[in-house]
Amino acid sequence: MNASPPSRAQQIPVIVLAGFLGSGKTTLLNHLLRHRAGNRIGVIVNDFGSIEIDAMTVSGQVGSTVSLGGGCLCCAVDASELDTYLETLTRPSARLDVIVIEASGLAEPQELVRMLLASDNPHILYGGLVEVVDAAEFGATRRRHPEIDRHLAVADLVVLNKTDRAGDGEQARIREAVAATGSAAAVVPATYGRVDPELLFDPALRPDGEEKARQLTFEDLYLEERARETGEEHAEHLHTAYESVDFTSDVPMDPRRLMEFLDSRPGGLYRIKGYVDFGAGDADHAYGVHAVGRFLRFAPRPWARREQRLTRLVLIGSGIDAQALRKELEGCRTPGEPGRETAQDAAHERSMWGVLRYVHRPGDDDA
């Protein structure tokens, strides 16, 4: 492709795709590769055993595929091997937008997440833990692997796969089982691993004219073929499984109120992205917000000259109440006229938000 590499400042989201054997992880991964929203995806396939069967079944239409055979990645003594592969995939020459780790069916997903969060690689950003569940075999899987409850409890997104083989009653029981683990994860139904990629990553944004003249990608050819076969321009309407809420405010946000909202955000709210204006709390910076599941990150950036100072957020989840979320966010705005807080308040807010901050909910470090 004739495209420039990502900026050195750009951080590539790394998504962990987990689930027990036969849940449909590889099927979901292949689906993402065919419906990648213009992104260049790098894949690390973590197979269990010396024969890398899963790696062989992954579609080859991907920027770089690295296969970690010979054992489960999470059993490694340290993260050095993973860091080596991430270093390779995050080089500017790889021109990747997203990295997906397809974990072994016997992996401990929480350990993979810890490896990513402990990585010294400045070019990666944690993109969430996606747990794939076989809806038709959930009961049997749970009897064989009771540790699935622990996996569900730490997941950021649960894909309830093979729902065409499970009735409404069974799906409701699985959702109750997920909730009983204490998980606040969004639960999204799917068949054949077909989830909207926008749940996991944003459509690629390219400079104007960057790819006007290029070869057709596998994705282009696949979608054209599907359109011919079905007679539809868009063969699948995957967005119906989740909701997206936009929020814009020209009144600065109050840091304490916004933090209270983010700490108590409702179950099913999977991703939050955008920029926040804290007004006089830090008049020089906008704050980028990246939240996925239980993990939250703020990163300041200077306001551009003549940039309109607004708060713009997009919230994505399943089973969320859009009207209630907007009302809660409106309640996070600074009361009264902008800039009326005292110098003491402003100094306190600068101390809260002047540095990059990660926030974990209670229990994140539990085994």
Side-chain angles (χ1 to χ4, degrees), residues 34-55:
R34 296 187 183 108
H35 300 81
R36 55 191 174 80
N39 285 283
R40 304 178 188 89
I41 304 177
V43 180
I44 297 177
V45 180
N46 172 213
D47 296 304
F48 190 86
S50 59
I51 301 175
E52 299 166 2
I53 297 174
D54 285 348

Side-chain angles (χ1 to χ4, degrees), residues 255-277:
R256 297 181 190 86
R257 294 184 180 187
L258 183 62
M259 199 64 236
E260 288 173 2
F261 166 78
L262 293 171
D263 278 343
S264 61
R265 55 194 185 274
L269 182 54
Y270 174 55
R271 292 179 67 203
I272 305 175
K273 56 186 179 178
Y275 285 95
V276 177
D277 172 23

Side-chain angles (χ1 to χ4, degrees), residues 222-233:
Y222 174 80
L223 294 178
E224 283 185 10
E225 181 180 352
R226 284 298 301 268
R228 285 195 300 271
E229 290 175 354
T230 62
E232 299 179 5
E233 280 191 33

